[in-house]
């Protein structure tokens, strides 16, 4: 239970993942019993410690960035890795904002009294030990640590090796803040070490309660496919916008541009446009013009090509989450064809219809199987912040436990508390 | 989409599991859109068809029972396999009872309007394709089919080979009832074939939405450890009763006998008794006498042995779910020692304290990590029927999605429906 060196997992001693998980479990007993006041003080202390450690964090980050550049990493990835005073301040602000959110732990989800007088209460409790496996963005380190702490969970942070120095500096600061408030620093631990350590984390069933991968499709598929620990699948979004025969074309244009262009790199941006043939002539010429003005490359089928400049679309395009200023596009003959297309290619994240038809909207909402289905609104609204959750650990695209944007309550389990006066069956 | 022969998976063609799952998914589209009236009519039709097929079901069961007896199966297992007119009637009654329960599908879990006027509703939807892997009790076939149908899920039923003929006869009857109401019979399908078929079911990620194993610890461990499809873990209960220093001894005796003896074969029966040393002298002599009268073999530590006749307890005993008239017993020095013992051996099902001390009860409730924690009541109350759920697919001992007795709402997922009038970010 030493609060000192967190870097106990080395190439020489990879089996220590189980040891980290056990330390996490023990620290979790103090955290699970901590009330909101204690947790909020810890969050503020973490923010203060991070702000104080800004120089050390930036120096560590500089070495990560230099190594990434030397290794020829793509500029976009280097940018995601890079920290500056603004980004460090943003991490601290995020921790302080968490302190302002309600504490889900102890909430009574439901409760009743049985006919025999036995009282039953279903109460929110922490999940326990949460493992986060994430890619190069060091800000996830502070973000995930704060969300887990506020929801009473201890966290094992497994970042990418390219951000190892940055993550270690951030975690050192966070732990010093936690320690100062009297909670055990082991509520937040880094899991360093070689690639095999990730496999050990995925094998640690019974020691780790849930794994949440945050990153690209490759990372998520790997974790989902190989973990023996229960996984919450987040984030891959191959999202569609369907412009129905009865759409308001102006509205459809605005939603299309917003959902594609406002932030193309995120999972709730659209990747494919489907247009009903009856509105194609009214909608597509203007749509292609607006998309071109916004710098979007349209990968269109032959029918779309009849209305403007596109590059030919392939079946692979329809299955791709571009995360860039690219958009696949097809004309469809009917709502049924649009639904069929979406069923075939959707990752079950966020799917949108623009229509003034009640019946078309109702069918789309009922028949599309996704975390979110939108009618006449931009898919960019499917987001924990926009939903008013205040914090978001990710957007779940699975059906068990949590589906859609995950706030603090989604980071909890429940326990039935049954109280009697000696009742028996 | 033929409704005919359901036995398409043979040793020659095991890959057809994926085909069954696809048929299930397609049938699910009709079922997901069916309102409560349609589903309740189907449940009644299933019950009627099962009652009508009683002779065929009993004949098929007779052949299963004869084969099991010939194979030297233990009498207890043969008894669980055996059907009689009463048990077939019980299955039909269970289906009719499901028709009387509220439909969770379409329930609005929460809803709000964003500051920009965008409306968000979180609505219950079916999970999709549910796989049930279960052991020899043929009544699970009708029970699981009914629960899945009422909650809008299609089901793939993978029973044990020893009940193959019984299960096939039951499913044939259920499907004829479903077909008569206009729903596709493929909402309920049997998954026959050799052992490898179970592995295929566990590998069918993306085709099957969730697997629920129902049976002994061996089956559950196998599914949990090997499935790539998300699993809901049910049922293993190594449950403890802790008699605190401040317990009412009469109450503790009644709860102990009820929780051990009323139905020893079930998961919410107690397997270990822990007694605080300060009450041992008052409690244990009477407890050992009452247990002996009830035919219970007590496996006690040396301190318990000082108060009456016991067989020596081993560490293995403390880790065993007996499911029989056996009880491990130990004297502990403190509440802390009781909590430590339970943390070490508990399967996280149902843990009970008997005490009149508020502070001891509060600590036990807070510090024991289990699906249910009971104060002064029998653990036998941790049950879907006792909780008023009307139906129960099992008792979840995992922390994700559902924990504790699972009713119809626990068999659902949710979907966010986001409606606007053209709003963008």
């Amino acid at each position: 239970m030493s609060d000192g060196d967190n870097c106990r997992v080395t190439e020489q001693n990879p089996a220590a993942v189980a040891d980290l998980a056990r330390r996490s479990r023990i620290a979790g007993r103090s955290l699970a019993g901590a009330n909101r006041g204690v947790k909020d003080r810890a969050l503020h202390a973490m923010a203060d410690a991070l702000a104080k450690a800004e120089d050390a964090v930036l120096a560590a980050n500089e070495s990560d960035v230099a190594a990434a550049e030397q290794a020829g990493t793509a500029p976009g990835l280097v940018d995601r890795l890079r920290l500056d005073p603004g980004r460090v301040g943003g991490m601290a602000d995020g921790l302080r904002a968490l302190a302002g959110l309600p504490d889900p732990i102890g909430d009574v989800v439901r409760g009743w009294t049985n006919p025999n007088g036995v009282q039953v209460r279903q109460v929110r409790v922490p999940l326990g030990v949460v493992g986060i496996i994430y890619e190069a963005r060091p800000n996830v380190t502070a973000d995930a640590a704060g969300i887990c702490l506020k929801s009473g969970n201890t966290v094992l942070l497994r970042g990418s090796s390219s951000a190892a120095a940055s993550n270690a500096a951030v975690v050192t600061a966070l732990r010093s803040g936690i320690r100062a408030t009297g909670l055990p620093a082991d509520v937040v631990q880094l899991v360093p070490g070689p690639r095999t350590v990730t496999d050990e984390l995925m094998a640690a069933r019974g020691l780790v309660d849930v794994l949440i991968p945050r990153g690209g499709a490759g990372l998520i598929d790997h974790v989902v496919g190989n973990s023996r620990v229960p996984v919450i699948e987040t984030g891959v979004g191959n999202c569609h916008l369907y412009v129905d025969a009865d759409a308001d074309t102006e509205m459809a244009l605005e939603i299309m541009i917003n959902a594609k262009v406002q932030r193309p790199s995120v999972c709730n941006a659209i990747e494919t446009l489907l247009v009903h043939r009856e509105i194609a002539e009214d909608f597509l010429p203007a749509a292609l013009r607006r998309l071109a003005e916004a710098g979007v490359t349209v990968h269109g089928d032959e029918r779309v090509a009849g209305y403007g400049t596109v590059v030919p679309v392939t079946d692979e395009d329809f299955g791709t989450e571009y995360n860039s200023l690219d958009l696949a596009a097809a004309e469809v003959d009917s709502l049924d064809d649009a639904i069929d297309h979406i069923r075939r290619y959707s990752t079950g994240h966020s799917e949108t219809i623009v229509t003034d038809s009640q019946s078309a909207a109702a069918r789309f909402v009922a028949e599309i199987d996704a975390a979110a289905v939108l009618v006449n609104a931009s898919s960019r609204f499917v987001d924990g912040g926009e939903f008013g959750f205040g914090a978001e650990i990710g957007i779940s695209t699975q059906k068990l436990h949590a589906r859609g944007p995950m706030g603090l309550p989604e980071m909890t389990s429940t326990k039935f508390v049954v109280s009697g006066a000696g009742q028996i069956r």
Side-chain angles (χ1 to χ4, degrees), chain A:
Chain A
M1 289 289 295
S2 143
D3 285 339
D5 178 19
N6 190 249
C7 300
R8 290 172 60 187
V9 180
T10 67
E11 208 137 351
Q12 283 70 48
N13 183 24
V17 161
D19 186 43
L20 292 178
R22 278 188 208 100
R23 289 164 65 189
S24 198
R25 173 89 51 203
I26 291 166
R29 292 176 191 157
S30 306
L31 182 60
N35 60 35
R36 177 175 170 180
V38 173
K39 291 189 283 191
D40 290 352
R41 279 196 293 281
L43 288 163
H44 280 291
M46 289 158 78
D48 294 346
L50 193 57
K52 226 174 101 184
E54 187 187 296
D55 290 348
V57 169
L58 292 178
N61 183 250
E62 228 166 87
S63 71
D64 282 338
V65 168
E69 283 172 337
Q70 203 163 12
T73 306
L77 292 180
V78 173
D79 178 60
R80 291 169 75 176
L81 175 58
R82 186 175 279 123
L83 294 175
D84 57 29
R87 285 187 174 177
V88 176
M91 286 194 257
D93 290 346
L95 292 166
R96 292 192 184 100
L98 279 165
L101 293 177
D103 183 351
I105 299 304
D107 277 0
V108 179
V109 177
R110 46 183 174 162
W112 64 87
T113 302
N114 285 349
N116 61 0
V118 167
Q119 295 186 341
V120 183
R121 304 279 177 270
Q122 187 177 19
V123 179
R124 283 205 188 282
V125 296
L127 287 166
V129 180
V130 175
I132 314 273
I133 301 178
Y134 57 107
E135 289 179 331
R137 293 196 296 181
N139 60 312
V140 172
T141 308
D143 194 29
I147 288 173
C148 287
L149 187 136
K150 179 82 186 207
S151 52
N153 298 295
T154 58
V155 67
L156 295 176
L157 295 160
R158 173 64 180 172
S160 66
S161 55
S162 62
S166 313
N167 290 339
V170 170
V171 167
T172 298
L174 298 178
R175 285 169 60 92
S176 76
I178 294 165
R179 201 181 297 122
T181 60
L183 282 173
D186 279 347
V187 300
V188 175
Q189 292 183 93
L190 204 61
V191 184
R195 262 173 195 279
T196 52
V197 170
T198 306
D199 298 329
E200 283 170 57
L201 203 52
M202 294 192 293
R205 189 170 182 105
L207 292 169
V208 177
D209 292 293
V210 58
L211 279 184
I212 305 178
R214 288 184 66 173
L219 171 74
I220 292 167
D221 285 351
H222 179 69
V223 175
V224 160
N226 294 285
S227 181
R228 294 193 61 217
V229 174
V231 172
I232 298 178
E233 195 176 341
T234 64
V236 178
N238 186 17
C239 304
H240 298 74
L241 170 65
Y242 166 58
V243 180
D244 186 48
D246 292 322
D248 175 320
T249 52
E250 253 327 295
M251 185 192 291
L253 287 170
E254 295 304 321
I255 288 175
M256 174 191 73
I257 292 295
N258 183 255
K260 178 72 250 181
V261 176
Q262 195 233 2
R263 203 170 165 206
S265 65
V266 293
C267 57
N268 60 16
I270 57 167
E271 309 293 357
T272 295
L273 170 71
L274 301 172
V275 181
H276 193 287
R277 65 177 164 78
E278 286 174 18
I279 203 170
E281 207 176 319
D282 280 350
F283 177 75
L284 272 172
L288 294 175
R289 200 167 51 240
R290 291 283 302 272
L291 288 164
E293 284 165 13
V296 176
T297 302
V298 175
H299 305 250
D301 68 0
E302 280 180 21
R303 292 160 68 176
V304 173
Y307 297 100
T309 307
V310 302
V311 298
V313 72
T314 64
D315 193 62
E316 206 192 322
D317 280 305
F318 287 126
T320 299
E321 185 185 13
Y322 293 117
N323 283 333
S324 62
L325 287 174
D326 290 83
L327 183 67
E331 188 182 300
V332 293
D333 289 329
S334 63
L335 172 60
D336 282 296
D337 284 358
I339 289 173
D340 283 347
H341 181 104
I342 294 171
R343 277 182 177 154
R344 184 159 166 207
Y345 295 104
S346 171
T347 54
H349 192 296
S350 299
E351 305 296 354
T352 308
I353 184 172
V354 179
T355 188
D356 197 42
S357 157
Q358 279 276 6
S359 56
R363 276 200 57 206
F364 191 87
V365 164
E367 295 181 26
I368 293 295
D369 191 21
V373 187
L374 301 103
V375 180
N376 298 338
S378 169
S379 57
R380 294 278 295 112
F381 288 121
V382 180
D383 172 272
E386 291 291 324
F387 275 16
F389 293 174
E392 180 188 278
I393 197 83
I395 297 178
S396 164
T397 50
Q398 66 179 29
K399 292 186 185 173
L400 285 188
H401 186 69
R403 196 180 194 199
M406 293 176 64
L408 292 172
E410 282 69 38
M411 293 298 289
T412 68
S413 183
T414 60
K415 172 195 276 187
F416 284 105
V417 179
V418 181
S419 309
Q423 286 91 336
I424 59 171
R425 271 178 89 171

